[in-house]
Amino acid sequence: MTFQTNMDCIHEVLKFLRHDTESLHSCLLVNRLWCELSVPILWKDPWARFFNMPFSKPSFTQPTSLINTYISSLPRESILKLEKNGFNVSSISSSTTFNYPMYLRCLDLEFLYWLVMKWVQNKSKPGFRPLKRVVRRFKKFRKKLNNNNSNNLDSTSMPPQDKIRLVCSELLTLFLKESPKIYILRINDYSKVDVFGQLGEALANLNPKNNCLSSLKGLECRDKPVMDNIFEMLSLLTTDISQILIMGNYNTKTLANLIRSQKKLEKVCFENFHNMSPQDYWESGVGYELSKKAHFITSLHLLNSCSLLAKLSDFVNLQELTLQCIHEQSCEYTDSLTSANIPILRDIAKLKFRCKHEYSLEYLSNLIDKSNGKLRKITIEGSRIKDRRYDLLMSTIANKCPNLKSCSIPISRIDPQIDRLLESCEQLKDLKLCAVLDTSDNDNNDILLYQLLNCTPTRLRRLDFVDWKFSISAWELFLKTQSRTLLQRICYYWNDNSKIASPSDEFLKACQQNKRDGILATYKGIDSYWKCIWPKLFVMN
């Protein structure tokens, strides 16, 4: 009983490291028990390590190790099939310590394609295999014994694209057969090779009543007619999808049928919704099916899809709203979003608003004002503010968000009024203050530091400054005073691409000394306040 309790405790601790692959790799080396508990967590979502790479053409550093591991798990029939088509897989270990495909809970078709493509290219390079001299001599000897070039190790009878299709097909069949449950399925069409056909063939072989996709919780897909066959089969295999990310807006009928068959849809993400009015999208197809389920949606993410804010009033039970837009000029952000049509989101708890184009603080202030006081996290980032209603935003947050715990907002460099926010939001733990260019650009902003010194936030643990200019005397006084409080982390950043002048060399030397003394956590220049990345769906269980 005690041994089982220890195992359960260790497993719960290791689950917190599911996104930290380096730490999990270290846990593998502790002992056999830790290894057996770490391997399932590490191999649930092996593609997660590549998420922060550019999503146009990921340049993976070591893809062959992951593919080699999965190739080693293929059945004998698949190994022979690969060898007949010119793949030298004899150098790969034929046995593995664990059945790694069995632990797979997330399947990412895009990253699988790029990894296999890189693996095929490396296999085609001369000198890739170990003991290349021995292999070269063995090739010559084999040519003499057998003139049939189809069995040659370096056979090039199959085009590279067909080789990629073949490997993807064998791996997809392996994954869907060995894994008991697939929770997340990511399907994108960035690949130049059509791998949707291979996925369709693998799905067609599954039992509609008992299959690994019957437990599917999350789906990332592109709303395109080329995926009709996959959408049609998924609608027969699963009905429990709770989160879906839709890229594009072709309004395909098969995707609409898939959404209609889901019974537990709660989280919806839109990416690159354009060239169609929200009203037209809501009247048929995918938009119509989502409008019927809008009352059940609790989390809505809009990535480069600002025009869908016009339909925000349909999602009356939202608890989380995220908008991220990287477009600077061509965004379809509608100016018709005024205080007259602000939706009432009574249960909203998280609000994230990050835009590179112009936006209105009055609209966001009115949105917060109509909430029911349940907001725990507010993120408003972007320097192109039209109305500069900092006072309205600050007063609205102070009056309507008593339970706020995390806040990132732009504030005025002339009159920050931060003391009012800290006095009203007593539970605030994380605070990020982003300065916006004002007429007082050449002046120091010591007033912000003095306002922070005059108030005593009891629960504040982290404080970030972005694009602020302080005098050295006021800065050092603030840091020495805060070192005696419960504040655990103070960071200073400046935007390299901002019009605001960078800190002076004297100020940076002072920051360097403060970091050595352990008072300042970090200081550095950044490209922007934030990075706009896909709202990836992660395996939580």
Side-chain angles (χ1 to χ4, degrees):
M1 184 66 179
T2 304
F3 178 75
Q4 183 64 37
T5 303
N6 292 338
M7 286 185 58
D8 295 339
C9 293
I10 296 174
H11 183 261
E12 290 298 323
V13 172
L14 293 177
K15 283 171 60 176
F16 286 96
L17 302 176
R18 59 184 179 272
H19 301 315
D20 189 352
T21 55
E22 294 184 3
S23 299
L24 281 175
H25 277 293
S26 300
C27 294
L28 293 174
L29 306 177
V30 176
N31 54 39
R32 183 173 182 83
L33 174 61
W34 281 59
C35 181
E36 293 176 351
L37 295 176
S38 301
V39 165
I41 300 175
L42 188 62
W43 288 86
K44 276 185 178 180
D45 190 359
W47 334 100
R49 70 189 73 177
F50 307 121
F51 283 169
N52 292 328
M53 296 184 178
F55 44 77
S56 55
K57 281 189 177 182
S59 55
F60 305 117
T61 56
Q62 49 179 4
T64 55
S65 59
L66 181 61
I67 298 300
N68 283 340
T69 302
Y70 283 134
I71 291 293
S72 301
S73 303
L74 287 173
R76 183 61 181 170
E77 297 78 10
S78 299
I79 295 294
L80 293 176
K81 189 175 182 180
L82 293 178
E83 290 181 344
K84 288 181 180 180
N85 288 277
F87 289 99
N88 177 33
V89 294
S90 58
S91 60
I92 303 175
S93 176
S94 58
S95 62
T96 56
T97 308
F98 298 92
N99 184 7
Y100 294 104
M102 182 181 67
Y103 303 121
L104 190 69
R105 297 295 180 267
C106 172
L107 182 56
D108 194 311
L109 202 64
E110 179 199 3
F111 286 118
L112 175 64
Y113 161 75
W114 286 109
L115 289 170
V116 171
M117 183 191 68
K118 194 70 174 180
W119 184 82
V120 171
Q121 291 176 351
N122 288 343
K123 279 291 184 181
S124 303
K125 292 180 180 179
F128 171 80
R129 297 179 295 273
L131 302 175
K132 56 183 179 181
R133 291 184 180 179
V134 177
V135 173
R136 194 181 301 117
R137 292 177 182 177
F138 176 74
K139 289 193 305 181
K140 294 180 180 179
F141 178 73
R142 189 171 183 176
K143 284 182 180 179
K144 295 179 181 180
L145 296 178
N146 189 359
N147 294 325
N148 187 4
N149 294 328
S150 61
N151 292 329
N152 190 276
L153 292 177
D154 284 334
S155 174
T156 56
S157 59
M158 177 177 286
Q161 293 186 353
D162 292 340
K163 289 185 176 182
I164 296 174
R165 290 192 185 97
L166 175 61
V167 178
C168 287
S169 177
E170 296 299 324
L171 291 179
L172 285 172
T173 303
L174 174 69
F175 295 153
L176 297 180
K177 179 181 179 181
E178 295 294 332
S179 176
K181 296 180 180 180
I182 297 290
Y183 292 136
I184 304 294
L185 180 61
R186 304 188 184 104
I187 312 173
N188 298 316
D189 63 344
Y190 286 109
S191 61
K192 295 181 180 179
V193 179
D194 178 22
V195 292
F196 297 126
Q198 282 66 43
L199 179 61
E201 294 176 1
L203 293 178
N205 296 327
L206 295 178
N207 185 353
K209 296 183 179 180
N210 185 16
N211 59 83
C212 61
L213 293 178
S214 59
S215 302
L216 192 66
K217 304 299 181 184
L219 174 66
E220 295 183 13
C221 61
R222 287 195 166 266
D223 186 3
K224 279 192 172 183
V226 70
M227 300 181 64
D228 282 345
N229 187 32
I230 296 177
F231 290 148
E232 184 176 354
M233 282 185 285
L234 285 177
S235 62
L236 300 175
L237 295 173
T238 180
T239 59
D240 293 334
I241 295 178
S242 60
Q243 45 186 344
I244 184 170
L245 188 151
I246 303 174
M247 308 175 197
N249 56 324
Y250 280 82
N251 228 348
T252 54
K253 183 179 180 181
T254 52
L255 179 57
N257 295 335
L258 175 61
I259 294 175
R260 183 191 306 129
S261 62
Q262 305 311 309
K263 303 176 182 178
K264 301 179 181 180
L265 193 60
E266 296 178 351
K267 179 178 180 179
V268 177
C269 308
F270 288 97
E271 181 187 352
N272 293 331
F273 181 93
H274 52 79
N275 298 330
M276 180 183 289
S277 68
Q279 188 63 34
D280 295 338
Y281 186 71
W282 236 240
E283 290 179 354
S284 62
V286 177
Y288 177 71
E289 296 300 331
L290 288 174
S291 66
K292 293 195 297 183
K293 297 180 179 293
H295 285 70
F296 305 100
I297 304 299
T298 59
S299 180
L300 178 64
H301 297 256
L302 306 178
L303 179 57
N304 304 331
S305 307
C306 298
S307 59
L308 284 176
L309 285 173
K311 290 297 178 181
L312 194 58
S313 57
D314 291 355
F315 301 89
V316 294
N317 294 317
L318 275 186
Q319 298 178 10
E320 181 178 3
L321 172 63
T322 300
L323 186 141
Q324 297 184 98
C325 189
I326 61 175
H327 297 306
E328 297 184 0
Q329 301 294 339
S330 58
C331 177
E332 298 180 3
Y333 177 73
T334 55
D335 292 331
S336 60
L337 300 174
T338 61
S339 57
N341 54 11
I342 296 293
I344 300 177
L345 305 177
R346 300 187 182 278
D347 297 326
I348 189 74
K350 295 181 181 180
L351 174 63
K352 301 178 184 179
F353 196 93
R354 295 169 169 173
C355 291
K356 285 192 174 181
H357 57 71
E358 290 186 345
Y359 65 97
S360 170
L361 287 181
E362 183 178 2
Y363 172 78
L364 295 175
S365 301
N366 292 329
L367 187 64
I368 296 173
D369 184 61
K370 290 193 176 183
S371 64
N372 203 22
K374 296 182 180 180
L375 272 168
R376 299 192 308 270
K377 183 174 183 178
I378 296 178
T379 301
I380 302 174
E381 298 177 2
S383 58
R384 300 181 61 183
I385 303 172
K386 292 193 301 184
D387 50 8
R388 298 189 180 276
R389 297 295 306 275
Y390 309 109
D391 54 342
L392 177 61
L393 177 64
M394 190 70 70
S395 61
T396 304
I397 295 177
N399 295 330
K400 292 291 184 176
C401 305
N403 300 316
L404 192 64
K405 294 183 178 180
S406 178
C407 183
S408 175
I409 55 174
I411 61 176
S412 172
R413 295 158 60 94
I414 301 176
D415 186 15
Q417 300 183 10
I418 194 62
D419 49 350
R420 182 178 180 182
L421 175 66
L422 294 176
E423 291 175 358
S424 302
C425 305
E426 297 180 352
Q427 300 185 24
L428 193 62
K429 293 183 178 180
D430 298 332
L431 180 60
K432 184 176 182 180
L433 303 174
C434 305
V436 183
L437 181 64
D438 282 322
T439 56
S440 60
D441 180 38
N442 296 323
D443 301 331
N444 291 323
N445 312 126
D446 296 342
I447 183 174
L448 174 64
L449 297 179
Y450 292 127
Q451 287 183 2
L452 290 171
L453 288 173
N454 292 331
C455 59
T456 56
T458 57
R459 299 191 178 184
L460 192 63
R461 296 295 181 267
R462 173 166 180 165
L463 181 59
D464 293 358
F465 298 97
V466 180
D467 280 342
W468 290 92
K469 295 179 62 177
F470 304 124
S471 64
I472 297 178
S473 57
W475 178 244
E476 292 184 345
L477 174 62
F478 172 77
L479 292 180
K480 290 180 180 179
T481 304
Q482 296 304 317
S483 63
R484 297 189 293 269
T485 65
L486 297 178
L487 195 61
Q488 299 175 354
R489 185 177 178 90
I490 302 176
C491 303
Y492 180 81
Y493 305 100
W494 64 93
N495 194 345
D496 293 328
N497 299 326
S498 175
K499 297 180 180 179
I500 302 176
S502 301
S504 63
D505 294 337
E506 295 180 357
F507 185 82
L508 293 180
K509 289 181 180 179
C511 290
Q512 184 178 10
Q513 185 61 42
N514 297 140
K515 186 175 181 180
R516 291 174 182 172
D517 298 337
I519 305 175
L520 184 64
T522 186
Y523 67 99
K524 61 181 179 180
I526 53 179
D527 294 333
S528 63
Y529 295 159
W530 49 278
K531 288 185 177 180
C532 190
I533 60 175
W534 288 346
K536 286 289 184 181
L537 310 180
F538 290 98
V539 180
M540 299 304 296
N541 297 323

